[in-house]
Amino acid sequence: MKYRHLFPGHQLVVVDEPLLNFMDNSYYGPITIGTPPQSFEVLFDTGSSNLWVPSVYCRSSPCSNHARFNPQGSSTFKASQQRFSMHYGSGSLSGYFGYDTVNVAGISIPNQEFGLSVNEPGSAFYYAQFDGILGLSYPALSAGGATPVFDSMLRDRLVSEPLFSVYLGSVPNSQNGGEVTFGGIDTTKYTGGIVWVPVLQELYWLIPIQSVLLNGQSAFCSGGCQAMVDTGTSFLTMPGQDLAELMYYLGAQQNANREYIVNCNYISSMPPLTFVINGVKFTIPASAYIRRNYNYCYPAFEATYLPAPTNNGPFWILGDVFLREFYSIYDRGNNRMGFAKAV
């Protein structure tokens, strides 16, 4: 952990949580829970709001190969009778809530409410490199009304400003894969100015998009749309009809598994995709949205799997494909988001 600013004799105010980039699919970092501390790797997810980790009471196969929290091993653990159930785009789980000291990047949060999973059906989390998830969205999205970790930081005045920032590196399997900066902005991780845009709804990190251009020409979202900014989604997602049109334009073909694939030799001639946000163009080259898997290539898009949160037009999700290109700032104090070109 890197502490960049300290008040003499006072708490930490701006800290960096290092992230590991696993194959450009997930970004996760270390935290501890309990006294003495028990270590976990968690996905830092701006698309959800709860913190949870597997518990020793979980007998599901995904828990068998991940770190599990033992409440009896912590002198500061407090049990809760409240149970929870959570659903993600990639899987679901259930369990119960508890309270304990959580340490994130050197920031110690006493009595943080978190989920202890007891049942993780299916195989989605079995193959995950991370143990649990730390949600960074608004409290209104939190299952069971649990206070999100960042809200606890704000409540206890553990950070200097009511915002955090995310840098996602573009070197897969790198120990220096990215960072979450709590309480400030890391000016070494971007170039140029910051473009600010208001949050549409205090639930997700949901922003308005004016249009989406393909090769510089208006292609989608011509009447405006809405997008959730989500570090927990690997791809870009878009309405199914738009996805079909884009795949046709890119010349993508479906293989036997109904996955879209493209000719790797044509990536350099494929068009850039541009999102117009608050009048500013944010362009992603084809080299960023086409992924290579050994001997074939595929577009990193999928159909949006959530219903539109508001009536502000079609719903997109700006996942890691977008966030590797642009540094993102999540400003709770002003209910706005900032974007700048990542270095």
Side-chain angles (χ1 to χ4, degrees), residues 132-247:
I133 293 177
L134 193 155
L136 290 168
S137 201
Y138 283 85
L141 191 61
S142 181
T147 302
V149 167
F150 189 63
D151 285 79
S152 296
M153 292 183 185
L154 298 180
R155 177 197 65 204
D156 295 343
R157 299 182 179 180
L158 300 177
V159 290
S160 63
E161 292 185 78
L163 59 79
F164 62 91
S165 311
V166 175
Y167 170 75
L168 300 186
S170 56
V171 181
N173 307 320
S174 168
Q175 290 291 337
N176 187 24
E179 69 177 24
V180 181
T181 299
F182 290 100
I185 299 170
D186 188 342
T187 57
T188 68
K189 293 296 187 287
Y190 67 89
T191 61
I194 298 170
V195 176
W196 296 99
V197 59
V199 170
L200 289 171
Q201 181 188 41
E202 294 177 33
L203 183 70
Y204 301 114
W205 288 100
L206 189 73
I207 61 169
I209 292 180
Q210 291 161 294
S211 63
V212 179
L213 315 177
L214 193 62
N215 212 19
Q217 302 298 315
S218 179
F220 310 107
C221 183
S222 56
C225 54
Q226 56 191 313
M228 175 172 69
V229 183
D230 184 12
T231 58
T233 294
S234 301
F235 289 2
L236 289 163
T237 85
M238 56 198 300
Q241 181 177 346
D242 291 344
L243 177 66
E245 291 181 19
L246 178 60
M247 294 303 100

Side-chain angles (χ1 to χ4, degrees), residues 19 26-29 42-52 86-90 125 130 132-138 141 148-150 164 166 168 180 182 203-205 228-234 305-306 317-320 323 330:
L19 302 179
S26 58
Y27 292 81
Y28 55 91
V42 294
L43 178 79
F44 286 82
D45 179 23
T46 60
S48 67
S49 296
N50 291 86
L51 167 63
W52 66 266
M86 298 179 196
H87 300 273
Y88 298 89
S90 57
F125 292 120
F130 50 87
I133 293 177
L134 193 155
L136 290 168
S137 201
Y138 283 85
L141 191 61
V149 167
F150 189 63
F164 62 91
V166 175
L168 300 186
V180 181
F182 290 100
L203 183 70
Y204 301 114
W205 288 100
M228 175 172 69
V229 183
D230 184 12
T231 58
T233 294
S234 301
Y305 49 85
L306 293 170
I317 298 177
L318 302 181
D320 297 344
L323 295 171
Y330 305 75

Side-chain angles (χ1 to χ4, degrees), residues 29-41:
I31 68 168
T32 66
I33 305 176
T35 308
Q38 300 177 39
S39 298
F40 299 91
E41 297 285 344

